[in-house]
Amino acid sequence: MTYKTHIVGGIVLAGVMHQSYFTLTELGFVCYYVGAVVGSLLPDIDHPQSLISQQVAFLHYPFRRFGHRKATHSLLAVVSLMGLMYVLFGKNYIGLGVGLGYLSHLLLDMLNPRGVPLLYPFTKYKYKILGKIHTGEKGEEIVYFILMVGLLILAIKALSLSPLLDHWGF
């Protein structure tokens, strides 16, 4: 998936969790969703051509030796990052946003035929969901469109127009 699909995916997953389980202050809202955007890009820090690697190149170097879609595309990476976020920021919504964005990245990459080694380094088996969506091709455009529709629905619900959506069965 391209960075734009990962960003929208991170925002949508964070939005679903936010609207389903908790409220945020204005500052918490900004921190949470910025965290989700950053988290949605972080797994590709192991790829030199990714947006995140190009923006903060020095972060790419420790991860490049693993190769793309290995250590940074695992559940161990998610748990480690969440632990680091807790140590750095304590219990707050920044870390939760980062973690959800990161998780959305892994889920979206599982749509790709290459899959994701969720249990790396314990096994190199790559998990897939469908496994037919190639980066930058028509399938990704469809996924991006679906995510944008989801984002629109979340935005409408957030603007308190939810009775209209409830009427339509959303």
Side-chain angles (χ1 to χ4, degrees):
M1 300 289 160
T2 59
Y3 75 91
K4 68 178 186 171
T5 304
H6 282 303
I7 288 172
V8 176
I11 293 170
V12 167
L13 181 58
V16 167
M17 297 303 287
H18 169 211
Q19 289 187 7
S20 298
Y21 297 108
F22 52 88
T23 58
L24 294 166
T25 64
E26 290 175 7
L27 178 59
F29 181 91
V30 172
C31 292
Y32 177 72
Y33 284 100
V34 168
V37 169
V38 171
S40 72
L41 298 173
L42 272 177
D44 283 341
I45 197 71
D46 61 3
H47 192 288
Q49 301 304 312
S50 70
L51 178 67
I52 191 92
S53 289
Q54 292 177 357
Q55 299 303 311
V56 282
F58 69 92
L59 288 178
H60 164 71
Y61 293 105
F63 298 100
R64 69 180 178 175
R65 69 183 184 116
F66 293 108
H68 186 49
R69 285 199 187 169
K70 291 197 174 68
T72 63
H73 283 69
S74 70
L75 293 176
L76 181 60
V78 175
V79 171
S80 299
L81 180 64
M82 292 296 294
L84 177 64
M85 296 304 292
Y86 182 78
V87 168
L88 292 175
F89 301 107
K91 184 179 176 185
N92 66 47
Y93 291 108
I94 296 171
L96 181 59
V98 170
L100 289 170
Y102 205 103
L103 187 59
S104 75
H105 185 111
L106 300 184
L107 291 169
L108 286 169
D109 276 358
M110 289 172 69
L111 296 171
N112 188 280
R114 290 182 58 208
V116 174
L118 289 177
L119 300 177
Y120 186 91
F122 308 108
T123 178
K124 294 180 181 176
Y125 180 81
K126 294 187 177 184
Y127 295 85
K128 301 173 191 168
I129 303 170
L130 300 177
K132 298 181 191 262
I133 309 292
H134 292 271
T135 302
E137 293 185 1
K138 191 73 170 171
E140 182 179 357
E141 291 176 18
I142 293 167
V143 170
Y144 180 75
F145 177 78
I146 292 167
L147 290 170
M148 289 300 288
V149 169
L151 185 59
L152 179 62
I153 291 168
L154 288 168
I156 290 170
K157 282 190 164 214
L159 294 171
S160 299
L161 298 176
S162 58
L164 179 60
L165 290 177
D166 290 340
H167 175 72
W168 290 340
F170 285 101

